[in-house]
Amino acid sequence: MLGKIFGVMAVLATAAAVILGRGEALGGAVLDAVSGAVNLTLSLAGMMCFWSGVMAVLREAGVMRMLSWLMRPLIHFFFPDAWASGEGAEDICANVSANLLGLGNAATPLALRAMQKLQGINPTPDRASGDMITLAVLNTASVSVVPSTIIVMREEAGSANPFAVVGAVWITSLCSAALALLLTRGLRGVGARRR
């Protein structure tokens, strides 16, 4: 449906530009936008490849296992099923670490791997478990210590100080993640009492 809406909008905008004699300006704007999109995509892809490689090296070096050990109180509290079974805890930690670095795109494969492991221990495979819901919510409202995607986008847009938003990102991401985790934990208890 959205494709049809945007298609109609594009046709109407093109027709209006031609009727108003602004077809040449529209063509130039389209070419500039395409060039900017390619540059931004390459910048983001390079940054994502770098951090994905760093995450792979950290995993192979055992740092993710150590991070999992350090994060065990949080994992034990917010992901009790993963903690009890030992399945998915390291992948959850890797996902949280990628999100801390502001790598939402690089964190997605890690979250999918963790979800697969959590599904393997899910007693009701046709419904998401509490741990799966918590992981999905945490990925949506994740804490970002180094918002690298935003920094790269601001740099590409010509910002004089691309790091100016870091403080605001810390405050908002920490508040949203804390509230999301507390709500999922609280609602998990309500659901358990109902059953």
Side-chain angles (χ1 to χ4, degrees):
M1 183 67 180
L2 283 177
K4 291 177 183 175
I5 292 172
F6 285 118
V8 168
M9 288 173 58
V11 168
L12 290 175
T14 303
V18 170
I19 290 170
L20 297 173
R22 308 277 299 163
E24 189 174 313
L26 176 66
V30 167
L31 292 176
D32 287 344
V34 168
S35 173
V38 169
N39 288 335
L40 178 62
T41 301
L42 290 175
S43 297
L44 290 174
M47 182 265 313
M48 192 172 92
C49 290
F50 170 74
W51 285 110
S52 294
V54 168
M55 293 298 290
V57 169
L58 292 176
R59 180 180 288 268
E60 289 296 318
V63 174
M64 297 315 298
R65 206 169 299 112
M66 185 179 70
L67 187 60
S68 175
W69 183 81
L70 290 172
M71 295 177 70
R72 72 184 184 280
L74 292 174
I75 291 180
H76 178 55
F77 184 73
F78 291 112
F79 298 96
D81 298 335
W83 173 263
S85 69
E87 287 293 318
E90 189 175 323
D91 293 304
I92 292 169
C93 287
N95 173 260
V96 169
S97 300
N99 279 322
L100 284 172
L101 295 172
L103 305 172
N105 292 333
T108 301
L110 300 168
L112 292 174
R113 190 177 315 136
M115 282 291 191
Q116 287 173 339
K117 290 184 179 177
L118 292 175
Q119 180 64 16
I121 61 170
N122 188 359
T124 55
D126 58 328
R127 292 176 35 194
S129 68
D131 283 4
M132 294 170 81
I133 292 169
T134 302
L135 183 60
V137 168
L138 183 60
N139 272 284
T140 304
S142 63
V143 177
S144 184
V145 175
V146 183
S148 49
T149 302
I150 294 171
I151 291 168
V152 169
M153 290 179 75
R154 286 176 53 85
E155 179 74 33
E156 285 296 315
S159 173
N161 184 5
F163 292 89
V165 297
V166 171
V169 169
W170 288 349
I171 293 168
T172 56
S173 65
L174 186 62
C175 290
S176 65
L179 181 62
L181 285 172
L182 292 173
L183 283 173
T184 56
R185 183 65 182 166
L187 292 174
R188 181 187 294 215
V190 169
R193 280 195 296 273
R194 277 190 173 169
R195 279 186 238 115

